């Protein structure tokens, strides 16, 4: 089994679910059709008509349900067939698999596993930040043709910044300052402080713009992994000695960057990424994200997709880890334990 299935995964931003429109998304190899019902609730069904396997995402929304565009079978949001045109009888088994959904912390989540186990309280709390009233948040969706664990590795080891992102995030200060890694049973946290160093090009610009400061700075990266595939980052810089290390962010530039990496298939990933901040303002955040998408994300995409294509050439070939892989390896161990537990539970019930 390649994915932990009994877990919540982000399937969409609320703004991606347009009124009276159907959205086709794949989560952990489960193709789904997602829409917002007339009741305001987001529904998700398997993207497959049980009659002749027409994609339901090509269907027609009506009467609070979804009609297949091929021979017109009508299904309720719970997946049950409620009408077969021209027939009085509907076979009891004529239904589509329904996926539990929940709207929480600014995201729409689906549960690709056993529906009976879906519990809204299991949405990782790390993402409560998406909803903070004191922050302005802009959300986007990116797509990588790479396994989701490779994206998690990437975010848990930011020593790649000086090499992959030299014009924005990266300078030598990043690898000169060792990161501390904190690992427990169900989470991984990485914290790096670059104290009294020159900022990278992007942080030099941010400090000029928001703090009107030029000179050595105290810069931080805090990265938190919430299994199976959520990453929360707090990134910032402040004038050297201005108190950021002690928690005083009054003279600093910082933002929260949430990323939920939803596996689409074994070799492709949806990245629901956001930037949240208290002072930038919505338009400035959006402009910043446009630049990040065309530079930072593109650079990560080239690396991740390049690595995936090399792996595909000779799957299973050994690669070598170095000390900065500590957090990524710990995240993979947590996911592996969750997979093993799910497999054991399945063996017991099956
Ligand atoms: S394939 Fe859907 S109604 Fe026939
Ligand atoms: Fe990167």
């Amino acid at each position: 089994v390649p994915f932990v299935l009994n877990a919540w995964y982000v399937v969409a931003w609320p703004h991606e679910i347009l009124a009276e429109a159907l959205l086709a998304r794949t989560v952990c190899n489960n193709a789904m059709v997602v829409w917002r019902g007339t009741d305001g609730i987001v529904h998700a069904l398997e993207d497959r008509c049980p009659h002749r396997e027409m994609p339901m995402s090509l269907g027609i929304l009506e009467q609070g349900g979804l009609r297949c565009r091929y021979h017109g079978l009508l299904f309720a949001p719970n997946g049950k067939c409620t009408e077969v045109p021209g027939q009085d009888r509907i076979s009891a088994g004529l239904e589509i698999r329904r996926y539990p959904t929940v709207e929480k912390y600014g995201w729409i989540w689906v549960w690709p596993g056993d529906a009976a186990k879906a519990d809204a309280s299991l949405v990782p709390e790390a993402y409560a930040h998406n909803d903070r009233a004191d922050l302005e948040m802009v959300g986007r969706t990116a797509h990588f043709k790479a396994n989701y664990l490779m994206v998690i590795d990437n975010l848990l080891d930011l020593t790649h910044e000086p090499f992959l992102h030299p014009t924005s995030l990266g300078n030598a200060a990043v690898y000169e300052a060792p990161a501390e890694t904190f690992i427990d049973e169900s989470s991984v946290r990485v914290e790096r402080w670059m104290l009294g160093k020159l900022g990278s090009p992007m942080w030099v610009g941010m400090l000029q713009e928001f703090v009107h400061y030029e000179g050595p700075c105290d810069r931080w990266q805090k990265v938190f992994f919430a299994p199976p595939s959520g990453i929360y980052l707090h990134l910032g810089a402040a004038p050297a000695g201005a108190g950021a290390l002690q928690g005083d962010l009054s003279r600093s530039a910082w933002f929260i960057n949430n990323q939920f990496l939803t596996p689409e298939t074994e070799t492709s990933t949806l990245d629901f990424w956001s930037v949240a901040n208290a002072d930038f303002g919505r338009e400035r955040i959006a402009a910043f994200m446009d630049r990040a998408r065309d530079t930072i994300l593109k650079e990560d995409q080239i690396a991740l997709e390049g690595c995936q294509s090399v792996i595909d050439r000779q799957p299973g070939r050994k690669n070598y880890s170095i000390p900065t892989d500590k957090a990524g390896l710990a995240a993979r161990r947590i996911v592996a334990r969750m997979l093993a537990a799910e497999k054991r539970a399945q063996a017991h019930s099956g």
Side-chain angles (χ1 to χ4, degrees), residues 233-281:
L233 299 101
H234 194 291
L235 306 168
L245 182 61
Q246 291 74 34
D248 178 2
L249 302 188
S250 55
R251 279 188 77 213
S252 69
W254 61 267
F255 59 88
I256 289 171
N257 172 213
N258 273 335
Q259 305 203 28
F260 199 95
L261 294 316
T262 296
E264 194 181 51
T265 67
E266 272 110 298
T267 55
S268 64
T269 302
L270 289 158
D271 181 358
F272 297 94
W273 63 295
S274 68
V275 169
N277 174 279
D279 337 291
F280 293 4

Side-chain angles (χ1 to χ4, degrees), residues 32-96:
M32 315 177 173
V33 54
V34 182
W35 78 97
R36 193 182 292 281
T38 44
D39 49 7
I41 295 171
V42 174
H43 304 289
L45 295 181
E46 188 181 358
D47 196 7
R48 172 189 182 271
C49 177
H51 175 226
R52 285 295 180 265
E53 317 203 42
M54 175 78 162
M56 290 306 292
S57 54
L58 300 176
I60 304 151
L61 282 171
E62 61 171 72
Q63 297 169 37
L66 179 56
R67 191 183 290 284
C68 178
R69 197 177 284 272
Y70 200 170
H71 312 93
L73 269 61
L74 181 65
F75 298 88
N78 66 5
K80 292 249 186 277
C81 182
T82 54
E83 188 193 316
V84 179
Q87 308 289 322
D88 303 329
R89 257 193 73 247
I90 300 170
S91 332
L94 197 50
E95 62 180 301
I96 304 179

Side-chain angles (χ1 to χ4, degrees), residues 154-155 157-158 160-161 164-165 169 296-297 299-301 304:
N154 170 291
L155 292 164
D157 175 17
L158 298 178
H160 74 268
E161 286 180 346
L164 202 51
H165 312 300
L169 296 167
I296 302 167
L297 263 83
E299 289 154 356
D300 281 318
Q301 180 173 21
L304 290 163

Side-chain angles (χ1 to χ4, degrees), residues 140-311:
R140 299 272 176 88
T141 305
H143 185 265
F144 300 118
K145 283 185 238 135
N147 183 273
Y148 76 108
L149 292 170
M150 292 164 64
V151 190
I152 289 168
D153 288 342
N154 170 291
L155 292 164
L156 283 174
D157 175 17
L158 298 178
T159 53
H160 74 268
E161 286 180 346
F163 306 97
L164 202 51
H165 312 300
T167 61
S168 54
L169 296 167
N171 65 343
V174 180
Y175 56 78
E176 282 168 8
E180 266 197 284
T181 303
F182 306 88
I183 299 164
D184 66 26
E185 276 300 292
S186 61
S187 70
V188 180
R189 192 164 63 81
V190 181
E191 193 164 330
R192 171 184 277 114
W193 282 90
M194 295 150 269
L195 297 172
K197 304 264 186 165
L198 203 68
S200 72
M202 187 192 92
W203 287 109
V204 166
M206 288 249 184
L207 283 171
Q208 279 170 344
E209 190 173 352
F210 296 103
V211 190
H212 310 293
Y213 173 82
E214 276 175 57
C217 64
D218 295 341
R219 179 185 162 196
W220 66 91
Q221 299 166 331
K222 298 179 186 180
V223 192
F224 180 80
F225 168 68
S229 57
I231 295 274
Y232 163 88
L233 299 101
H234 194 291
L235 306 168
L245 182 61
Q246 291 74 34
D248 178 2
L249 302 188
S250 55
R251 279 188 77 213
S252 69
W254 61 267
F255 59 88
I256 289 171
N257 172 213
N258 273 335
Q259 305 203 28
F260 199 95
L261 294 316
T262 296
E264 194 181 51
T265 67
E266 272 110 298
T267 55
S268 64
T269 302
L270 289 158
D271 181 358
F272 297 94
W273 63 295
S274 68
V275 169
N277 174 279
D279 337 291
F280 293 4
R282 205 171 173 77
E283 261 159 53
R284 215 146 30 164
I285 294 179
F288 168 69
M289 290 177 86
D290 286 342
R291 275 199 306 280
R293 180 198 54 213
D294 297 340
T295 53
I296 302 167
L297 263 83
K298 181 107 324 135
E299 289 154 356
D300 281 318
Q301 180 173 21
I302 289 167
L304 290 163
E305 296 187 353
C307 295
Q308 183 68 62
S309 70
V310 172
I311 290 169

